[in-house]
Amino acid sequence: MIIKIEREDLEVFSFVFGMVFGSFLNVLIYRLPKQISILKPSSCPNCGSKIKYFENIPLISYIFLKAKCGSCKDKIPFRYFLVELITGFLTLFLFLQVSLSFEFFYLIILFYTLIVLSFIDIKYKAVPDYLLLIALIIAFFATKDEFLVSLENACIFAGFFILLEFIITFYIQNIKSKLTKDDTLRNTKALGEGDIPIIAIIGVVLGIKAGVIAIFLAGIFAIIPSILNTLLKKDSQIPFIPFLVMGFLFEFFINISSKVFT
């Protein structure tokens, strides 16, 4: 009974820890692209007033403040609430699968980094190269495979998709642009530069078979917003990193759950 209570306490703690860290991830998402120091005290981007401690409680403050700044009443983006919620549940789910271990430590750092990359990509459709490098390095520590096996998987995935990107880009720029008479397609690329390292990370952590499934899922997840953008005649270019991360996380938890229950 004591063990059960301790386990439940750790589960609650993991969720709360995730939410708190999600608040910090929001800081990174906002500041890193703008090259603002992460050590600077939090303040409202609109009025500059410092955020009080009771206005910075994960999830609760967003609801209590009704998604508005306590000083100027400027709207707080829903992204802040969403990141904290996702990070909380992601931390809990990972803890339930691997408990407290070195694997948990490395994987949660990787997942947090991928969350930051995803939301920066959504906002700017570009991500900092150093974050991609950090995520790739962490991925090698997060896998149980030998380094050479992980490196081989990364090279296979990255190399294949570089070739695929070249072929699709050639089609878009030279064939589709002529068929549709759309000159703007001449500079369009099938994949962004930041997508390739994420694809390599998927190969490192999941391996070839599960990695292919994760990429396939990412494509499925990306279809809906792509169709909506076409119907609404919005920017046809959608950030792909969030969907790659979604496919990766979905397949990761499906994979690890099947191993636990078999």
Side-chain angles (χ1 to χ4, degrees):
M1 184 66 182
I2 295 176
I3 295 176
K4 183 178 180 181
I5 294 175
E6 289 179 348
R7 175 71 180 184
E8 291 175 350
D9 289 343
L10 285 173
E11 290 172 2
V12 173
F13 175 78
S14 67
F15 181 73
V16 174
F17 175 83
M19 289 193 302
V20 172
F21 222 96
S23 182
F24 176 65
L25 297 188
N26 273 318
V27 173
L28 298 181
I29 291 167
Y30 177 77
R31 297 188 184 186
L32 292 183
K34 298 177 180 292
Q35 297 183 338
I36 301 173
S37 173
I38 62 174
L39 300 178
K40 184 179 178 181
S42 297
S43 59
C44 173
N46 183 57
C47 66
S49 61
K50 290 185 179 180
I51 298 176
K52 303 175 181 65
Y53 72 92
F54 56 84
E55 295 176 334
N56 208 22
I57 303 172
L59 300 184
I60 296 175
S61 292
Y62 185 90
I63 298 172
F64 178 76
L65 293 170
K66 298 179 180 179
K68 295 179 181 179
C69 170
S71 299
C72 67
K73 305 304 178 183
D74 189 52
K75 184 176 178 60
I76 301 173
F78 179 67
R79 182 256 298 170
Y80 287 86
F81 182 88
L82 184 61
V83 169
E84 291 170 355
L85 188 65
I86 290 174
T87 310
F89 276 115
L90 198 58
T91 307
L92 173 61
F93 292 158
L94 185 60
F95 172 76
L96 291 174
Q97 297 300 332
V98 302
S99 192
L100 289 178
S101 60
F102 283 113
E103 184 183 8
F104 174 86
F105 176 74
Y106 291 127
L107 283 170
I108 205 63
I109 294 176
L110 175 62
F111 290 174
Y112 287 172
T113 307
L114 292 177
I115 289 174
V116 173
L117 284 166
S118 296
F119 281 90
I120 290 178
D121 196 35
I122 291 172
K123 176 70 174 179
Y124 299 98
K125 295 180 182 177
V127 294
D129 290 338
Y130 62 85
L131 274 185
L132 290 169
L133 181 59
I134 289 172
L136 184 58
I137 292 173
I138 295 171
F140 283 101
F141 288 96
T143 179
K144 293 181 179 180
D145 293 332
E146 295 181 1
F147 175 76
L148 290 178
V149 175
S150 299
L151 182 61
E152 181 181 4
N153 291 341
C155 291
I156 289 173
F157 261 61
F160 172 76
F161 279 94
I162 287 174
L163 179 62
L164 181 63
E165 194 271 343
F166 170 75
I167 295 172
I168 298 177
T169 297
F170 179 85
Y171 161 75
I172 293 173
Q173 293 180 350
N174 296 277
I175 300 176
K176 187 176 180 180
S177 63
K178 290 182 179 179
L179 291 175
T180 60
K181 297 180 180 180
D182 186 353
D183 291 334
T184 60
L185 294 177
R186 292 187 180 277
N187 296 319
T188 301
K189 288 190 175 183
L191 293 174
E193 294 179 358
D195 298 338
I196 302 300
I198 301 297
I199 290 169
I201 289 170
I202 292 174
V204 169
V205 178
L206 295 181
I208 302 299
K209 184 179 178 180
V212 170
I213 296 174
I215 301 296
F216 175 76
L217 289 173
I220 297 298
F221 293 149
I223 286 176
I224 297 176
S226 179
I227 293 175
L228 288 175
N229 282 352
T230 301
L231 294 176
L232 298 174
K233 296 181 179 180
K234 290 185 176 182
D235 186 1
S236 59
Q237 184 182 6
I238 61 171
F240 196 42
I241 287 180
F243 300 105
L244 286 171
V245 172
M246 286 172 61
F248 165 68
L249 292 175
F250 188 88
E251 180 60 20
F252 173 85
F253 282 108
I254 291 295
N255 235 9
I256 200 169
S257 296
S258 65
K259 291 178 182 178
V260 170
F261 293 108
T262 56

